[in-house]
Amino acid sequence: MAYVATRGGERAIEQAERLFRQDLGQIDLDRVQSIRRSLPYLVDRVMGEASLYDEDIAALALAQTGGELSEAVLVLRAWRTTQPRIAIAEPLLQEQLLTQRRISAAFKDIPGGQILGPTLDYSHRVLATDVLEGRPYDPPAVEAAETPAPARQPSLADWQRAQGLVAPAVDNSVPLDEIPDLTREPLLFPASRAHRLQGLARAETGGVLALGYAAMRGYGNAHPTVNELRLAEAEIVVRHPRGTAFSAGRIRVSQAEVTSKEKGGYLELGFAATFGWNEVKVIAAATLDLNSAEAPVGSAVHEEFYLYHTESVEASGFCIHFKLPHYVTFQSILDAMRDAKAKKAATSASNITTAPQEEPAL
């Protein structure tokens, strides 16, 4: 691929960016904090796809890019590469999560009970158009339950293992400093489970939904049932160089386990987790994980296909690069078209010239 160099266009390029910035207007701290407060799920999505948990920085990225998600993720990932890695946190365990929402579609009664938590699943999708007429929408206050649900909930999969429904757990733990890191290592195939789950954790939500939905509709080899869906806050525990463990704060996390028909006497499980609260992403991602085992090469649920095609920065970058000059390659296509037409016209003219002439009628 070749490009024609553009000269004298520096001023035009600079003014084009200025025009974009001018349309957005001034960006200040109040605007960033307003985005963080009013659009928490959008901020969560950007943090998850950028693999960086910082609500203020994610809100700034959205403000700076006008809410263009692929650009916001790209800016946030670029900023992430400039930051030092201070420590590696201790593993997050399900039973230690501060759970705010936990449901199962596979079992009605589960240990700890179903916790609906914050959701619009059961609401009417009606716009509050009164807001546009100057009447603010003030939601009614939540009524506290007589008996609050426990903050920490047990793992449903562990309960299923005790019932003989799920295969016994295999200890795949590795030292913290040896954990594979997709942000520092190339993605190779066949991918390790760690790399697969890391890729799904920061995959583009829309892409994961499209491919996960394809699997759900029958293009995969396993139809999912939500075994457990959980929205929670996780305590980030790190160790001081002297060995003392301490909390560095809390982050919002989503996780989903989906299950399918039994295999080898046990239920199969697919799993996914990500930064922030993003239910549709983790359900779709867990469905892809569930379908990976026997997926045919080239199918939408094969790991090489979905890990490549849900990588937001690479996918959007490749798509956007088509806006760059392709004059030389396109000109070669036109030259080939003109040459083919010329040869076709010459062949037609030759056939007319060499055709036998009819004798004149007497």
Side-chain angles (χ1 to χ4, degrees), residues 85 87-91 173-181 237-239:
R85 175 165 296 185
I88 299 177
E90 297 290 321
S173 58
V174 297
L176 293 181
D177 56 355
E178 296 180 14
I179 295 175
D181 186 352
V237 177
V238 295
R239 287 193 176 275

Side-chain angles (χ1 to χ4, degrees), residues 1-4 320-332:
M1 183 180 298
Y3 300 114
V4 175
I320 289 171
H321 104 277
F322 284 105
K323 297 186 292 184
L324 295 173
H326 285 66
Y327 309 136
V328 173
T329 50
F330 189 68
Q331 187 64 44
S332 68

Side-chain angles (χ1 to χ4, degrees), residues 17 39 46 60 75 81-82 85 144 173 176 195 212 215 308 320-321 343 345 347 351:
E17 182 177 350
L39 301 171
V46 172
L60 174 60
V75 169
T81 63
T82 68
R85 175 165 296 185
S173 58
L176 293 181
H195 276 175
Y308 271 146
I320 289 171
H321 104 277
K343 288 180 179 179
T347 301
N351 291 337

Side-chain angles (χ1 to χ4, degrees), residues 115-176:
I115 304 173
L116 296 187
T119 183
L120 293 175
D121 284 354
Y122 319 104
S123 65
H124 297 292
R125 271 62 171 189
V126 180
L127 279 175
T129 54
D130 290 350
V131 174
L132 303 179
E133 300 174 3
R135 297 191 293 275
Y137 174 68
D138 190 13
V142 175
E143 298 177 2
E146 294 182 1
T147 304
R152 292 175 172 82
Q153 297 288 337
S155 166
L156 182 57
D158 286 347
W159 175 77
Q160 290 170 311
R161 288 188 183 94
Q163 304 297 315
L165 300 175
V166 175
V170 178
D171 185 7
N172 293 320
S173 58
V174 297
L176 293 181

Side-chain angles (χ1 to χ4, degrees), residues 15-315:
Q15 298 306 312
E17 182 177 350
R18 287 189 180 186
L19 182 59
F20 181 88
R21 305 295 180 196
Q22 180 177 294
D23 287 344
L24 294 183
Q26 184 185 58
I27 299 174
D28 54 19
L29 181 59
D30 289 341
R31 186 170 180 176
V32 172
Q33 291 179 342
S34 176
I35 291 174
R36 176 179 172 177
R37 289 193 306 269
S38 59
L39 301 171
Y41 289 89
L42 183 60
V43 170
D44 281 358
R45 174 173 169 176
V46 172
M47 291 190 301
E49 294 178 14
S51 58
L52 174 70
Y53 196 96
D54 190 315
E55 294 170 307
D56 289 328
I57 295 294
L60 174 60
L62 285 166
Q64 188 174 316
T65 59
E68 213 295 318
L69 291 182
S70 60
E71 283 289 331
V73 171
L74 176 57
V75 169
L76 200 54
R77 283 198 191 179
W79 188 84
R80 180 187 186 277
T81 63
T82 68
Q83 303 306 300
R85 175 165 296 185
I86 300 174
I88 299 177
E90 297 290 321
L92 303 180
L93 303 179
Q94 283 186 327
E95 59 270 18
Q96 295 178 359
L97 297 177
L98 302 174
T99 303
Q100 299 196 30
R101 172 166 162 78
R102 176 176 178 258
I103 61 171
S104 172
F107 297 91
K108 178 181 178 182
D109 298 314
I110 56 177
Q114 308 259 9
I115 304 173
L116 296 187
T119 183
L120 293 175
D121 284 354
Y122 319 104
S123 65
H124 297 292
R125 271 62 171 189
V126 180
L127 279 175
T129 54
D130 290 350
V131 174
L132 303 179
E133 300 174 3
R135 297 191 293 275
Y137 174 68
D138 190 13
V142 175
E143 298 177 2
E146 294 182 1
T147 304
R152 292 175 172 82
Q153 297 288 337
S155 166
L156 182 57
D158 286 347
W159 175 77
Q160 290 170 311
R161 288 188 183 94
Q163 304 297 315
L165 300 175
V166 175
V170 178
D171 185 7
N172 293 320
S173 58
V174 297
L176 293 181
D177 56 355
E178 296 180 14
I179 295 175
D181 186 352
L182 191 58
T183 67
R184 297 186 173 194
E185 303 169 6
L187 180 61
L188 302 175
F189 295 101
S192 67
R193 185 87 190 288
H195 276 175
R196 186 198 307 169
L197 295 182
Q198 288 175 28
L200 288 171
R202 70 181 207 154
E204 200 272 331
T205 300
V208 172
L209 175 59
L211 297 182
Y213 180 50
M216 296 169 191
R217 292 191 62 242
Y219 291 91
N221 50 37
H223 187 78
T225 298
V226 173
N227 195 50
E228 180 179 354
L229 173 69
R230 193 184 294 226
L231 303 182
E233 292 186 6
E235 202 85 36
I236 301 302
V237 177
V238 295
R239 287 193 176 275
H240 190 274
R242 295 180 178 178
T244 304
F246 64 94
S247 172
R250 294 178 184 172
I251 63 172
R252 294 178 7 145
V253 293
S254 307
Q255 70 161 65
E257 285 177 344
V258 299
T259 185
S260 182
K261 58 183 182 297
E262 65 88 21
K263 179 181 178 182
Y266 296 111
L267 291 172
E268 292 185 274
L269 292 179
F271 178 81
T274 191
F275 282 152
W277 288 356
N278 192 341
E279 295 185 17
V280 70
K281 175 179 176 177
V282 291
I283 293 174
T287 300
L288 293 175
D289 179 52
L290 178 67
N291 278 269
S292 291
E294 300 175 357
V297 175
S299 67
V301 293
H302 187 256
E303 62 177 15
E304 184 171 357
F305 188 92
Y306 68 71
L307 288 178
Y308 271 146
H309 294 94
T310 58
E311 168 47 52
S312 62
V313 171
E314 183 174 341

